[in-house]
Amino acid sequence: EVDFPPGYNAWGNVVETDQDPDIAVVKVDAPADELVPLTLGDSDQLQVGQTVVAIGNPFGLSGTMTVGIVSAKGRTLESLRQTANGLPFTAGDILQTDAAINPGNSGGPLLNLNGEVIGINRAIRTTNYTASGEPTNTGIGFAVSINIVKRVVPSLIAGGKYDYPYLGISSRDSLTLADQELLKLPRSTGAYVLDVVAGGPADQAGLKAGTTETSVPGLYSGGDLIIAVDGRPVVVFGDLLSYLIDYKAPGDEITLTIIRDNQEKEVKLTLGKRP
């Protein structure tokens, strides 16, 4: 059921879903005068600290508005879709906000003060729960950036699927100084290659994962450290993922700047599509 603010209600049909950012396209048959679309903004133009507004139905309280700021950009979350070996893909270009988001806010808009939608509320991170087991807001909410939505939704409507660019690597979200020392890296910024999928784009381009055991089980040194993509600095893995999702498509060639054996070099790579 889709409820419109003036009181008009209609049934909606889910046309298609995308489990990477966790969004859905819903078709509603309603009179034209009931349909008032919101203006979509540009999430790339957001600044950390900028005021944003979340609207949704937390705990069934319809039309609730909360206010906060953009806490961070370029976060990552686990996709609802899994790789062949059962591990989740990574959803990127996620906005973090401290605007209060609770169960029922998911799917609602995150807006700037111009009334433009710059994200779709998706999830929260919390350790607090109600007596019935529902998670409650602790000031860490996440929204899918609207620039992803603007790329994905037309493809979902037209063909039922959007193909995401694929590297075929796994990486940590970020590196600490302890990680840097353990992995014998010259810096703690960049996306460290933990694993390379056999036969994938990264493997074909010659990227290397670590193979030398460290004191941390499952963490191996000797892998490549990606520090830039097409000349754009990569400080954390999310920077790399956000750039690929927002600007690149399967079949595009990118240039990765990596550090291997303390030497900086460039690697050309042709992106695949997520299996």
Side-chain angles (χ1 to χ4, degrees):
E1 182 177 330
V2 179
D3 300 337
F4 293 82
Y8 178 81
N9 300 332
W11 291 111
N13 295 312
V14 176
V15 174
E16 192 55 70
T17 62
D18 186 337
Q19 292 186 313
D20 278 293
D22 191 18
I23 60 175
V25 175
V26 179
K27 182 179 181 180
V28 180
D29 291 320
D33 58 359
E34 297 288 351
L35 302 176
V36 184
L38 296 174
T39 301
L40 303 185
D42 182 355
S43 47
D44 276 356
Q45 299 303 311
L46 284 176
Q47 300 293 320
V48 173
Q50 185 174 331
T51 301
V52 288
V53 174
I55 296 178
N57 304 321
F59 304 110
L61 299 171
S62 61
T64 296
M65 183 176 86
T66 54
V67 179
I69 62 168
V70 177
S71 303
K73 298 172 59 179
R75 295 297 197 204
T76 60
L77 290 174
E78 289 186 352
S79 166
L80 299 180
R81 200 158 61 87
Q82 294 184 335
T83 64
N85 59 4
L87 297 175
F89 283 106
T90 302
D93 199 22
I94 302 294
L95 306 175
Q96 181 185 333
T97 179
D98 68 351
I101 294 175
N102 287 289
N105 275 110
S106 296
L110 188 69
L111 306 106
N112 61 23
L113 293 188
N114 293 327
E116 298 169 332
V117 182
I118 45 79
I120 297 179
N121 301 321
R122 173 176 170 176
I124 60 174
R125 182 166 296 170
T126 182
T127 56
N128 296 331
Y129 297 87
T130 65
S132 59
E134 293 178 305
T136 58
N137 172 68
T138 53
I140 300 179
F142 300 104
V144 181
S145 74
I146 203 62
N147 284 9
I148 289 180
V149 176
K150 288 192 287 188
R151 286 185 66 122
V152 170
V153 167
S155 293
L156 295 182
I157 293 173
K161 184 181 179 183
Y162 180 79
D163 288 323
Y164 287 87
Y166 177 61
L167 279 175
I169 66 169
S170 61
S171 175
R172 287 194 171 187
D173 285 340
S174 60
L175 296 169
T176 66
L177 288 175
D179 292 332
Q180 178 188 348
E181 293 177 0
L182 196 65
L183 297 170
K184 299 180 175 60
L185 298 173
R187 54 195 282 180
S188 61
T189 56
Y192 180 72
V193 181
L194 292 171
D195 185 53
V196 176
V197 177
D203 188 26
Q204 294 178 28
L207 285 186
K208 295 182 178 180
T211 56
T212 303
E213 290 186 354
T214 67
S215 58
V216 176
L219 183 62
Y220 299 89
S221 65
D224 292 333
L225 182 68
I226 302 170
I227 61 171
V229 53
D230 289 342
R232 296 185 176 217
V234 172
V235 178
V236 295
F237 181 51
D239 295 334
L240 173 61
L241 205 58
S242 295
Y243 173 73
L244 296 182
I245 291 174
D246 281 340
Y247 297 105
K248 295 297 174 180
D252 289 348
E253 184 181 79
I254 60 172
T255 301
L256 297 175
T257 305
I258 68 170
I259 294 178
R260 178 184 295 167
D261 300 327
N262 289 327
Q263 298 295 317
E264 188 173 312
K265 63 180 294 186
E266 290 189 346
V267 175
K268 300 286 187 182
L269 183 151
T270 300
L271 294 167
K273 63 180 179 180
R274 288 188 175 180

